[in-house]
Amino acid sequence: MEMINAIGRRKSSVARVYLSKGDGKILINGKDYKAYFPQTHVQANITQPFATAAIENGIYDLNVNVKGGGFKGQSEAVRMGISRALIKLNEDFRKPLKEQKLLTRDAREVERKKYGKPKARKSFQFSKR
């Protein structure tokens, strides 16, 4: 098996995922994923596609490059990239991953600030007289 690559996006984060045969190492930006994402609920995002597709740990190595955004957006971008890579590996994984909504791009991004306003939509107090 050669290396499979896929891209995942969330908010302003972009993750490039490279999946290959190996012994279960998950490296994110050169670090182990548990060191890169110390919060346990965020680590669960990374391993969720494997659990959903019923793949036991220790079969595939992951090398991930992620940039932009915060830890939550980055972890969800990595999750989407892993899901897409697993589908390239085996098309049978599409149904369970799609049921868990791991293939849907969450397009919500922060709205930009407009001029004449303190925030994106908030306005200053209106005075009639």
Side-chain angles (χ1 to χ4, degrees):
M1 177 189 133
E2 72 284 345
M3 189 172 283
I4 295 172
N5 64 330
I7 292 179
R9 293 184 181 93
R10 171 74 170 100
K11 291 187 178 179
S12 60
S13 302
V14 179
R16 292 182 309 229
V17 176
Y18 301 96
L19 183 116
S20 60
K21 275 270 196 238
D23 53 348
K25 280 187 273 188
I26 300 175
L27 294 177
I28 300 177
N29 291 348
K31 294 181 181 177
D32 184 53
Y33 80 101
K34 291 183 178 177
Y36 192 81
F37 295 121
Q39 301 93 342
T40 54
H41 67 281
V42 179
Q43 292 172 9
N45 277 346
I46 307 298
T47 57
Q48 186 180 358
F50 293 112
T52 303
I55 298 172
E56 56 272 1
N57 290 339
I59 297 178
Y60 300 111
D61 278 351
L62 286 170
N63 192 0
V64 181
N65 296 328
V66 63
K67 63 178 177 150
F71 65 89
K72 180 95 163 121
Q74 283 190 351
S75 70
E76 292 183 11
V78 171
R79 179 178 71 181
M80 182 183 193
I82 293 170
S83 300
R84 286 180 169 177
L86 288 175
I87 286 177
K88 285 184 181 179
L89 181 70
N90 187 350
E91 194 64 34
D92 297 335
F93 296 146
R94 179 178 289 279
K95 190 172 188 309
L97 291 171
K98 197 167 179 78
E99 286 172 356
Q100 292 287 319
K101 293 187 171 66
L102 298 181
L103 301 174
T104 306
R105 159 76 156 106
D106 192 350
R108 294 176 295 174
E109 293 199 19
V110 177
E111 193 172 333
R112 78 171 195 87
K113 183 194 174 299
K114 279 71 167 194
Y115 61 89
K117 297 198 173 233
K119 292 168 82 175
R121 295 191 177 198
K122 186 176 182 179
S123 297
F124 293 110
Q125 186 173 355
F126 177 72
S127 173
K128 198 166 194 175
R129 287 178 194 86

